[in-house]
Amino acid sequence: MLLLITVAALTAVASGGGLDVVPCAMVCEANTSMPGSHLNCSRVVQALCGSGDLGRPCDVGCLAGQAALSGTTCETEDAEWLQTAVYRAAERLATSSQATTTFAAHVPSSYPLVIMGPGVYAVHTPLPVWAPFGPSTGLHLPSGVHLRAACPARQAWEHKLPANMSVIEVDLDKRLTGSAPPPLLRSVVLVSDHRTGFNASTITSLAVHDTSVSGFAINGLRSGSSQGQRVCSTSSGGPAPLSALGAYHGIAVAAATGNVTLRDNVIAHVAGNAINTGMYDQWLPEDPACNATAVQLDALHTFCEGRVLRFSAPWQQPNVIANNIVCDAQFGGVTIIGDNTLVSGNIINVTVKNWVSRNQSFGLTMGVSAGFVGTHNVTVIKNTISGADYAVGSDGSYPLHVTVSLFVRYWAVIYARGTAAFRQRYSPNHPPLTPDGQLNFTTVEDFVRSNQVLLDIAVSTTAQSNDSTVYDAGFNTGLDVINNTLRGSVCGVSLYRAHDSVVSGNRIFHGPEQNLAMVGISLSNAHGCWVYGNSVNGSWDRAIQLVGQPRKMSRWGSSFNRVGVRRDGGVFVAVGNVLEAAGVGIDLTGCGYDNAVRNNTVMVVGGAGQPCSYRGARCQRQPHPAWATGNTPPSCNAGYPC
């Protein structure tokens, strides 16, 4: 249930607080019959505030009408008042009969709730966090505790009332590092059942359940801001310089088993992902003995799966990431690794692109990374996404356990696939290593692109197998990208190694860099997917592309997909795409078997391109139907090779 606030109410709150109220964190008991909905305070257990504010009335902001909060004053002052309030709430849960270990085990009727009123909570001292989520975070939220801002930051931001925001910002104490700037926090907020005291053997205990972060302004700028004035803005309107950033992720969720909600937040100025859920730790093997997950690489070598921590939930009640505003995320907006998640109604702007040349074959940054290394059942619906290399992307690579020895063994391949600038930076004979044998790439991008070569080697090996447990390892399934507005990306929607997925009803526009409008919708080594009812507008190289030959990067390549067709039970319904392109409208160059192209309208912009190209399309089904039919212009119904 969304909390609706009128402009008049917001204005009244902004002007009525006076100097006598202070920001507080109120530990409450809260009741609800709907897990995941907004919680209301039924009783204030304790109110905490910053040093010097003891005894002063708490600003309850937009919740002034709630009787339980009326007249609340600060009774405990603490330098880390918000974090202390969260831990007090967790302690109450731990000592109650409602403490549980998984969402499926029990849904409590009373939830510990921490409400923060308008004001700023500045992170001065990093909280240590053990790998792989460290080395530090700003605020730690464990299972069972719900963290809520008194006034939803999204509404306050939309109505230009920053004084109503509950801001969590990074203002690290420079005394910790002397004259050098403090290192980036790994996250401003970490949602995890443990922060320290775990190791590789107990890492699965990180999964959270029954928790939420709602309505906060999370500002990753290093120097802080006053009442959120710089949340979602920089002086130039572009990305903040890396030297000004204080955190890599905004909200990071280690892993989950259910009932996790992140909504109505405004997250700005982070070097990595605004919201990062789940974890693929390629340096840690899933099976320490490297036996159960081993796949033969060649006559002498095998490789194993890396550890994947999943952001998961029961299929009938997915985790929810909704109605957040993301701006100046410099690697990704929302990243999902797991199962059963709804990503809905978010406004996302990713300010950095790595795909800056037509000589590059892929990019790195994404508005929504809807699936990675075996993610299932993610719905991305009614979001507005701008910037990034990919507005919505997925990567179903094999979850490879990476070692330095793999880089050494395949360095010749990595080097050959690098750009000219990459080859100038490194030796052709060996990867860059420190004296103690660790990798030492000049840039993160160089490492990521080199690592992708190893992932490609792994998937090309699994593609040769006839065992579905091997050739489907890492594939993403059930990714539904529906009714989104996507602007200014190099590629609108990209599904790589996905199956049983839907791309429907999206409006896709390229940005001002017309020479980098590469692909509107791309299915790469994807099978059994449905693409219909989309509008792809502008001078794209290819409006829709299907690429991937069988047994190259996947067992089936791009096969059995339907472009312009919707499945309604057992009936196929014509729902064509409307496409514009300067190059090729629908391109099936080098794909797999039995891809249907029907009912689409293609317009060539500029007169130099062609509506459809079916070079390399294949047919397996006999007798085969008319795979290309009902399209406009009629030339798109001809030329299919079978």
Side-chain angles (χ1 to χ4, degrees), residues 491-511:
C491 177
V493 179
S494 173
L495 301 186
Y496 171 59
R497 285 175 54 92
H499 60 79
D500 298 330
S501 299
V502 172
V503 181
S504 166
N506 302 285
R507 297 187 303 156
I508 304 174
F509 307 87
H510 67 65

Side-chain angles (χ1 to χ4, degrees), residues 376-418:
H376 310 297
N377 303 328
V378 173
T379 298
V380 180
I381 185 170
K382 295 183 179 179
N383 302 278
T384 299
I385 303 171
S386 60
D389 296 328
Y390 307 91
V392 181
S394 77
D395 184 344
S397 292
Y398 180 87
L400 180 65
H401 168 46
V402 173
T403 62
V404 175
S405 63
L406 279 180
F407 279 89
V408 172
R409 176 169 178 76
Y410 292 98
W411 180 249
V413 180
I414 295 171
Y415 185 83
R417 295 187 187 180

Side-chain angles (χ1 to χ4, degrees), residues 1 16 33 106 114 138 190 255 350 369 399-400 422 511 564:
M1 182 185 301
S33 59
H106 181 60
V114 175
L190 173 64
V350 177
S369 176
L400 180 65
F422 180 95

Side-chain angles (χ1 to χ4, degrees), residues 57-71:
C58 294
D59 188 350
V60 298
C62 303
L63 303 180
Q66 290 194 16
L69 299 176
S70 178

Side-chain angles (χ1 to χ4, degrees), residues 16-22 56-57:
L19 296 177
D20 58 332
V21 295
V22 296
R56 298 182 69 178

Side-chain angles (χ1 to χ4, degrees), residues 340-522:
N340 305 316
T341 299
L342 174 65
V343 182
S344 174
N346 302 283
I347 299 174
I348 297 170
N349 173 244
V350 177
T351 51
V352 173
K353 295 178 181 178
N354 296 102
W355 197 347
V356 296
S357 167
R358 298 180 69 86
N359 295 326
Q360 296 172 237
S361 57
F362 63 91
L364 300 176
T365 60
M366 294 187 184
V368 174
S369 176
F372 192 50
V373 293
T375 292
H376 310 297
N377 303 328
V378 173
T379 298
V380 180
I381 185 170
K382 295 183 179 179
N383 302 278
T384 299
I385 303 171
S386 60
D389 296 328
Y390 307 91
V392 181
S394 77
D395 184 344
S397 292
Y398 180 87
L400 180 65
H401 168 46
V402 173
T403 62
V404 175
S405 63
L406 279 180
F407 279 89
V408 172
R409 176 169 178 76
Y410 292 98
W411 180 249
V413 180
I414 295 171
Y415 185 83
R417 295 187 187 180
T419 63
F422 180 95
R423 292 193 296 272
Q424 288 178 351
R425 285 192 288 271
Y426 304 110
S427 166
N429 302 317
H430 54 78
L433 299 174
T434 62
D436 61 349
Q438 301 302 308
L439 294 171
N440 188 29
F441 284 94
T442 302
T443 68
V444 173
E445 182 176 343
D446 284 352
F447 166 76
V448 172
R449 292 186 180 278
S450 300
N451 192 71
Q452 185 62 49
V453 175
L454 295 180
L455 297 180
D456 290 348
I457 292 171
V459 299
S460 64
T461 303
T462 61
Q464 310 310 312
S465 174
N466 293 319
D467 182 348
S468 63
T469 63
V470 174
Y471 66 67
D472 271 351
F475 253 85
N476 299 317
T477 62
L479 307 183
D480 294 343
V481 184
I482 301 172
N483 295 346
N484 301 282
T485 299
L486 313 176
R487 298 180 184 275
S489 301
V490 182
C491 177
V493 179
S494 173
L495 301 186
Y496 171 59
R497 285 175 54 92
H499 60 79
D500 298 330
S501 299
V502 172
V503 181
S504 166
N506 302 285
R507 297 187 303 156
I508 304 174
F509 307 87
H510 67 65
E513 307 96 338
Q514 186 167 314
N515 64 318
L516 283 177
M518 301 297 286
V519 187
I521 299 171
S522 174

Side-chain angles (χ1 to χ4, degrees), residues 88-251:
R88 294 282 170 84
E91 289 168 3
R92 290 185 61 82
L93 180 67
T95 57
S96 75
S97 61
Q98 298 178 29
T100 63
T101 56
T102 66
F103 168 73
H106 181 60
V107 178
S109 59
S110 178
Y111 294 80
L113 170 66
V114 175
I115 296 175
M116 177 180 161
V120 175
Y121 178 76
V123 176
H124 297 302
T125 305
L127 298 174
V129 177
W130 288 24
F133 299 96
S136 59
T137 190
L139 185 77
H140 172 228
L141 182 68
S143 284
V145 179
H146 294 260
L147 187 60
R148 178 185 176 187
C151 298
R154 173 163 177 163
Q155 285 88 336
W157 183 85
E158 288 175 337
H159 294 296
K160 297 181 173 57
L161 293 171
N164 279 7
M165 290 183 175
S166 300
V167 182
I168 303 173
E169 67 179 23
V170 180
D171 190 12
L172 299 183
D173 190 341
K174 291 185 174 60
R175 291 174 299 176
L176 300 173
T177 55
S179 59
L184 292 178
L185 296 173
R186 186 66 179 175
S187 57
V188 180
V189 178
L190 173 64
V191 185
S192 169
D193 258 4
H194 295 281
R195 181 169 60 83
T196 61
F198 59 87
N199 55 38
S201 64
T202 61
I203 201 169
T204 54
S205 64
L206 294 167
V208 294
H209 56 92
D210 302 297
T211 189
S212 62
V213 180
S214 300
F216 282 83
I218 296 174
N219 188 0
L221 281 175
R222 185 182 295 279
S223 56
S225 62
S226 174
Q227 296 290 342
Q229 294 286 348
R230 289 195 290 171
V231 176
C232 274
S233 67
T234 62
S235 58
S236 65
L242 185 61
S243 60
L245 300 179
Y248 193 73
H249 299 316
I251 301 174

